[in-house]
């Protein structure tokens, strides 16, 4: 700053340290046991971001890794202050890790990205272009899924079909969390504090003007996937129950139809008894009816239970995550509640 003529007799406010100016771009990377991929990630991400010529920060959310992810992140932060770190006290899951990153991201535009380089950073350039054209959200759509197994492709297709039929907000198929969001979209996203966090649904729910960019999703650069089929199934259930109550309605309809069938059958049985007299045999039909209705009741109870369990999780009002330590982030910006 240029030296100023300061009148000593009147106290002047101390020249303030330059206020924290938000960077243009915040990259949010959730990480769980990613020691194998970290060196490759920072190498490729930082090299690319430097060529962009925009100010940026990389927020790494260490989701309770048990490998060398934490020390590697501390090292990276020491090397480059723009790499900031949030260490969770345990594994809270990717959706929560992502939320924590969004909570602290200060950039005018925010891009969540997977640690394994399956989301090519180079696409961010196109995102920025679209963002500058005036779109608030620019998301990446996979052109095809040929790096996935046939089973995963089929289940993903079915999942998007089902959820888009059931949920009130359209959720674009073949998108992940890889997208650019304007800071005002991020502000909207983080106001949704539900524990049942299906981020794709939350992103869709907040709305805003959006554009899409297609890309080919490469294989994981190193390390192992953290999502097996059981985890994906639970993820799908979270998505459906979080964004639709149609299963409850279906349960109601199934109940009504069964009751109707029972009434019709009852009328038939009574008339038959009145016309032909008492008919003792009937063990098979009795068993079938008892088992069918018993089974149906359990299914319907299960559906209700899914919602009730989630309702219970929400009413406890626990924080979404617990931060154990952080590097390079302002204290007090942890909005885990
Ligand atoms: N991840 C996370 N917490 C978890 C599981 C995964 O933060 O409990 C991160 C992981 O480190 C990666 C991203 O989420 O950066 C995507 O995970 P992964 O590549 O295993 O999923 P896939 O691409 O196979 O769906
Ligand atoms: Mg991956």
């Amino acid at each position: 700053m240029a030296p100023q003529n300061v009148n000593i007799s009147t106290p002047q406010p101390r020249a303030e340290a330059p206020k924290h100016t938000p960077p243009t771009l915040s990259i949010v990377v959730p990480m769980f046991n990613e020691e194998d991929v970290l060196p490759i990630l920072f190498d490729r991400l930082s090299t690319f971001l430097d060529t962009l010529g925009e100010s940026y920060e990389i927020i790494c959310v260490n989701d309770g890794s048990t490998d060398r992810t934490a020390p590697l992140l501390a090292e990276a932060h020491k090397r480059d202050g723009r790499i900031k770190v949030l260490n969770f006290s345990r594994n809270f899951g990717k959706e929560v890790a992502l939320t924590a990153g969004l909570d602290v991201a200060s950039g005018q535009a925010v891009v969540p990205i997977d640690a394994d380089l399956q989301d090519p950073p180079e696409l961010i350039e196109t995102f920025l272009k679209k963002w500058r054209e005036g779109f608030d959200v620019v998301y990446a759509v996979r052109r095809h899924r040929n790096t996935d197994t046939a089973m995963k492709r089929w289940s993903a297709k079915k999942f998007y079909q089902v959820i888009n039929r059931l949920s009130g907000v359209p959720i674009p198929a073949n998108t992940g969390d890889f997208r650019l969001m304007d800071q005002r979209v991020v502000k909207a996203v983080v106001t949704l504090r539900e524990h049942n966090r299906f981020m794709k649904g939350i992103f869709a729910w907040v709305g805003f003007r959006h554009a899409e960019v297609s890309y080919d999703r490469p294989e994981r650069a190193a390390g192992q996937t953290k999502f097996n089929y059981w985890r994906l199934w639970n993820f799908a259930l979270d998505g459906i129950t979080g964004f639709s109550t149609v299963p409850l309605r279906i349960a109601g309809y199934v109940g009504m139809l069964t009751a109707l069938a029972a009434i019709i059958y009852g009328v038939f049985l009574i008339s038959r008894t009145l016309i032909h007299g008492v008919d003792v045999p009937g063990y098979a039909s009795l068993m079938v009816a008892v088992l069918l209705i018993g089974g149906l009741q359990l299914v319907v109870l299960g559906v209700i239970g899914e919602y009730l369990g989630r309702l219970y999780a929400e009413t406890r009002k626990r924080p979404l995550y617990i931060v154990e330590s952080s590097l390079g982030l302002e204290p007090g910006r942890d909005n885990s509640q």
Side-chain angles (χ1 to χ4, degrees):
M1 218 192 272
Q4 285 174 332
N5 261 340
V6 179
N7 182 347
I8 312 170
S9 57
T10 52
Q12 292 281 318
R14 192 198 300 266
E16 275 191 21
K19 263 239 164 90
H20 171 74
T21 41
T24 307
L25 201 57
S26 293
I27 310 288
V28 174
V29 201
M31 296 175 183
F32 178 50
N33 292 344
E34 298 288 6
E35 62 179 3
D36 293 335
V37 87
L38 277 191
I40 324 173
L41 171 74
F42 288 130
D43 185 37
R44 183 145 152 223
L45 196 57
S46 301
T47 313
F48 167 72
L49 290 173
D50 287 336
T51 63
L52 272 185
E54 308 280 357
S55 55
Y56 68 86
E57 62 178 0
I58 302 176
I59 295 170
C60 304
V61 185
N62 172 16
D63 186 9
S65 300
T66 49
D67 65 354
R68 295 194 54 250
T69 299
L72 285 175
L73 285 177
E75 235 169 69
H77 170 70
K78 225 190 249 166
R79 221 176 29 241
D80 182 350
R82 290 172 298 183
I83 299 178
K84 302 170 183 180
V85 184
L86 212 53
N87 285 308
F88 277 1
S89 58
R90 66 167 171 86
N91 178 252
F92 282 89
K94 182 191 173 185
E95 313 282 299
V96 173
L98 189 55
T99 309
L102 296 181
D103 280 340
V104 296
S106 59
Q108 293 163 37
V110 182
V111 179
I113 196 168
D114 280 0
D116 56 7
L117 288 168
Q118 285 196 287
D119 303 330
E122 293 71 23
L123 217 61
I124 295 173
E125 198 170 359
T126 324
F127 285 176
L128 281 171
K129 215 161 73 206
K130 289 264 175 206
W131 175 57
R132 296 224 154 96
E133 282 171 20
F135 292 101
D136 297 302
V137 182
V138 190
Y139 55 75
V141 184
R142 296 175 67 168
R143 214 169 272 141
H144 41 68
R145 284 184 166 260
N146 49 12
T147 47
D148 281 351
T149 59
M151 176 71 183
K152 193 156 178 187
R153 248 178 291 168
W154 178 83
S155 51
K157 189 168 146 215
K158 285 287 152 213
F159 170 68
Y160 283 111
Q161 272 176 4
V162 170
I163 195 149
N164 273 319
R165 256 229 191 127
L166 299 186
S167 97
V169 281
I171 295 169
N174 298 328
T175 60
D177 300 321
F178 186 35
R179 59 188 64 220
L180 176 144
M181 285 171 281
D182 187 88
Q183 181 60 243
R184 63 199 186 118
V185 179
V186 173
K187 286 222 169 77
V189 165
V190 300
T191 55
L192 276 74
R193 305 312 284 183
E194 57 225 65
H195 280 249
N196 180 8
R197 296 199 80 71
F198 178 64
M199 289 312 274
K200 277 182 258 205
I202 291 178
F203 289 147
W205 188 88
V206 297
F208 288 100
R209 253 164 68 80
H210 59 80
E212 46 178 81
V213 172
S214 49
Y215 79 117
D216 293 320
R217 190 170 173 86
E219 304 259 17
R220 209 174 217 286
Q224 289 280 317
T225 175
K226 314 292 179 302
F227 288 87
N228 54 27
Y229 277 108
W230 178 241
R231 217 166 158 172
L232 284 174
W233 166 249
N234 284 305
F235 184 62
L237 279 187
D238 277 347
I240 290 168
T241 50
F243 285 86
S244 169
T245 49
V246 173
L248 286 175
R249 212 171 305 155
I250 292 175
Y253 289 135
V254 171
M256 268 194 296
L257 281 179
T258 321
L260 194 69
I263 290 170
I264 294 171
Y265 189 51
V267 168
F268 163 72
L269 282 184
I270 291 169
S271 341
R272 201 179 58 173
T273 313
L274 288 178
I275 298 165
H276 297 291
V278 180
D279 177 19
V280 176
Y283 174 74
S285 57
L286 207 63
M287 273 314 275
V288 169
V290 167
L291 291 178
L292 179 77
I293 293 181
L296 267 178
Q297 279 174 334
L298 288 182
V299 171
V300 170
L301 269 181
V303 174
I304 297 173
E306 280 292 326
Y307 285 90
L308 193 65
R310 283 173 169 79
L311 191 66
Y312 179 50
E314 301 297 343
T315 52
R316 283 185 299 216
K317 292 242 173 295
R318 291 185 182 166
L320 279 179
Y321 53 86
I322 306 286
V323 174
E324 187 211 74
S325 61
S326 68
L327 295 170
L329 290 162
E330 293 169 56
R333 288 220 54 200
D334 151 27
N335 309 321
S336 57
Q337 295 289 333

